[in-house]
Amino acid sequence: MLGKGAILSIPLVDLKAQYHTIKPEIDEAIQRVLVQANFVLGQEVALLEREFASYCGVNDAVAVSSGTEALRLALLACDVGPGDEVVTTPFTFIATAEAIVHTGATPVFADITPDSYNIDPKAIEAAITPRTRAIIPVHLYGFPADMEEICRVARKHHLKVIEDAAQAHGARYKDKRVGSIGDIGCFSFYPGKNLGAYGDAGIVVTNSADVADRIRILRDHGRREKYEHEHIGYNSRMDTIQAAVLRTKLAKLDSWNEKRRTLSRTYRKLLRNVDIQLPQEDDTSVPVYHLFVLRSPLRQSIRRTLAAADISTGIHYPIPLHLQGAFRHLGHQVGAFPNSERAANEVLSLPLFPEMTDSQVYQVATAVKEALASQPTLSLHTRRLLKAR
Ligand SMILES: *Cc1c(COP(=O)(O)O)cnc(C)c1O
């Protein structure tokens, strides 16, 4: 049934629309792999590694099976294991902390700053103990974390910095691409990311030949030669069809990110005088808007109004990691990381994807304004809440 609503409905991301814009190239790339029939770690994987390393401005890249595996292997390559601690943000997707647990180490959370969604370097420093080995900052929503301060803290305490850049392909921090600033950068190519495969995939980037070598061996059963295994490794390889898709899409990444930035400017203009907090840019970085996230104590009623207009929204993320059942054993209580908890209660992701039209942005912004205008008393309440902060 194709009702009126189905035609006007606006998804959070539209991967079908993207495929239509690149269909001939993608179909040709996949066909190339089918003919070569080298389906795992084939030639396209080696080419992607070279091209993505060069895109990020680093010496080397190692393609793996997911962003989560990228993080896990990066930690293992830094010799992180049982008894060690790794400091990260509680306001992220669970994979960031899950990868730490998989190595046998313990995630130690440090709160985000009150005016960004990224980890606070001062909170990192306060969380460091003699067991701390590494810091994993996340460039959440495509906005670079405060890398200069984070790297300063890391140098002072002799810690590794592993960037979780799963949401920030191409974002710049002071003229460097994210992923190239710390010791190791980890990317996810999950289909909905700014650069997405047609299945699971990920990559590690680094300037360290030693780290790259170790990850290359770990991802493929601990071997260099076919049946000669130096270490116990994993099956964490990228498949060749994903690499061929990603090479085709990497060529478009900058223009897609620019389109995200342009659409975000339009959102910003249309929502200028509305009683919500918009994403904040500063002049040290160029964010790539993996998500366009507004913030309001009224996010549930905004969400309901948008749903009634057939507009999808998301909440990234409703429960900070320290309050997840999976991390109950760490013993954190409500109130432990107040900035993350407040953000979790107020954030709302609006539809944003490179193929989105101005008219769709206008529809969404209009619905947000209607949601707030239809609740004059609550709107007054918001102003009070915001003032009370
Ligand atoms: C998507 C994501 C990951 C995990 O990537 P997968 O490819 O899904 O394993 C890790 N960290 C963050 C911040 C992410 O958004």
Side-chain angles (χ1 to χ4, degrees), residues 288-303:
V288 292
Y289 289 88
H290 173 56
L291 295 166
F292 188 90
V293 177
L294 60 78
R295 190 165 170 162
S296 164
L298 299 177
R299 69 120 181 258
Q300 286 305 350
S301 88
I302 300 172
R303 191 163 208 221

Side-chain angles (χ1 to χ4, degrees), residues 365-384:
T366 303
V368 171
K369 284 194 265 193
E370 275 167 16
L372 290 165
S374 69
Q375 312 206 12
T377 53
L378 282 175
S379 194
L380 193 69
H381 178 63
T382 315
R383 274 193 285 277
R384 286 212 194 94

Side-chain angles (χ1 to χ4, degrees), residues 66-69 71 92-93 95-96 138 140 164 166-167 188-190 193 200-201 317:
S66 71
T68 309
E69 279 303 282
L71 288 163
T92 178
F93 181 58
T96 315
V138 179
L140 203 70
D164 182 341
Q167 301 189 1
S188 163
F189 297 130
Y190 183 77
K193 306 284 162 131
D200 276 312
Y317 297 91

Side-chain angles (χ1 to χ4, degrees), residues 15-29 196 198 245 248-249 252 256 355:
L15 297 179
K16 287 182 195 164
Q18 184 176 77
Y19 176 55
H20 282 300
T21 68
I22 53 176
K23 184 176 186 308
E25 292 162 85
I26 290 284
D27 291 0
E28 190 274 322
Y198 288 170
V245 167
T248 307
K249 292 177 79 171
K252 327 269 180 202
W256 283 337
E355 299 72 25

Side-chain angles (χ1 to χ4, degrees), residues 56-58 139 144-148 150-151 155 161-163 171-185 205-207:
C56 292
V58 294
H139 307 297
D146 184 356
M147 291 307 294
E148 189 166 297
I150 292 168
C151 291
R155 268 193 307 275
V161 176
I162 299 171
E163 294 174 67
R172 288 179 181 280
Y173 175 85
K174 297 188 177 174
D175 282 339
K176 279 187 161 181
R177 299 272 195 197
V178 300
S180 72
I181 306 158
D183 297 280
I184 307 180
V205 301
T206 182
N207 283 316

Side-chain angles (χ1 to χ4, degrees), residues 38 79 149 206 255 344 369 388:
N38 191 352
D79 284 321
E149 275 305 297
T206 182
S255 71
K369 284 194 265 193

Side-chain angles (χ1 to χ4, degrees), residues 77-378:
C78 294
D79 284 321
V80 170
D84 296 334
E85 294 176 352
V86 178
V87 180
T88 194
T89 165
F91 195 56
T92 178
F93 181 58
I94 191 163
T96 315
E98 217 173 26
I100 298 169
V101 175
H102 284 157
T103 68
T106 303
V108 173
F109 297 120
D111 208 358
I112 58 174
T113 69
D115 53 0
S116 82
Y117 299 108
N118 286 328
I119 196 165
D120 183 347
K122 288 196 205 73
I124 294 176
E125 193 145 29
I128 289 171
T129 75
R131 290 169 178 264
T132 310
R133 300 297 300 273
I135 304 167
I136 307 185
V138 179
H139 307 297
L140 203 70
Y141 311 150
F143 282 66
D146 184 356
M147 291 307 294
E148 189 166 297
E149 275 305 297
I150 292 168
C151 291
R152 193 189 57 74
V153 171
R155 268 193 307 275
K156 184 169 150 196
H157 297 273
H158 308 288
L159 307 174
K160 298 287 185 196
V161 176
I162 299 171
E163 294 174 67
D164 182 341
Q167 301 189 1
H169 318 69
R172 288 179 181 280
Y173 175 85
K174 297 188 177 174
D175 282 339
K176 279 187 161 181
R177 299 272 195 197
V178 300
S180 72
I181 306 158
D183 297 280
I184 307 180
C186 298
F187 292 83
S188 163
F189 297 130
Y190 183 77
K193 306 284 162 131
N194 287 35
L195 178 57
Y198 288 170
D200 276 312
I203 206 164
V204 179
V205 301
T206 182
N207 283 316
S208 161
D210 178 54
V211 164
D213 189 52
R214 296 179 78 169
I215 293 175
R216 220 166 241 123
I217 290 169
L218 281 174
R219 77 170 166 185
D220 190 22
H221 299 294
R223 68 181 159 195
R224 260 181 237 282
E225 303 296 331
K226 186 142 190 164
Y227 292 118
E228 216 178 295
H229 306 269
E230 286 172 46
H231 305 276
I232 294 295
Y234 303 89
N235 178 350
S236 308
R237 303 171 298 217
M238 184 186 283
D239 77 66
T240 316
I241 287 181
Q242 300 311 335
V245 167
L246 288 164
R247 288 184 66 213
T248 307
K249 292 177 79 171
L250 177 58
K252 327 269 180 202
L253 178 60
D254 280 341
S255 71
W256 283 337
N257 279 342
E258 202 41 54
K259 192 73 202 298
R260 286 173 186 273
R261 293 179 48 76
T262 303
L263 293 165
S264 298
R265 270 196 293 278
T266 305
Y267 263 135
R268 208 179 278 286
K269 222 178 290 166
L270 294 171
L271 294 171
R272 197 172 37 213
N273 295 317
V274 180
D275 194 4
I276 49 174
Q277 192 180 310
L278 296 173
Q280 317 217 328
E281 290 199 22
D282 63 42
D283 49 15
T284 60
S285 65
V286 182
V288 292
Y289 289 88
H290 173 56
L291 295 166
F292 188 90
V293 177
L294 60 78
R295 190 165 170 162
S296 164
L298 299 177
R299 69 120 181 258
Q300 286 305 350
S301 88
I302 300 172
R303 191 163 208 221
R304 268 194 303 275
T305 304
L306 268 60
D310 244 336
I311 298 167
S312 299
T313 55
I315 294 177
H316 304 89
Y317 297 91
I319 305 171
L321 297 187
H322 66 286
L323 300 178
Q324 293 282 359
F327 292 113
R328 201 179 294 120
H329 62 282
L330 296 176
H332 295 298
Q333 303 297 316
V334 172
F337 302 101
N339 295 335
S340 297
E341 290 167 30
R342 208 175 299 131
N345 286 327
E346 296 183 354
V347 291
L348 184 69
S349 308
L350 300 184
L352 182 70
F353 45 92
E355 299 72 25
M356 202 174 173
T357 63
D358 282 345
S359 127
Q360 285 177 313
V361 173
Y362 184 81
Q363 273 183 66
V364 177
T366 303
V368 171
K369 284 194 265 193
E370 275 167 16
L372 290 165
S374 69
Q375 312 206 12
T377 53
L378 282 175

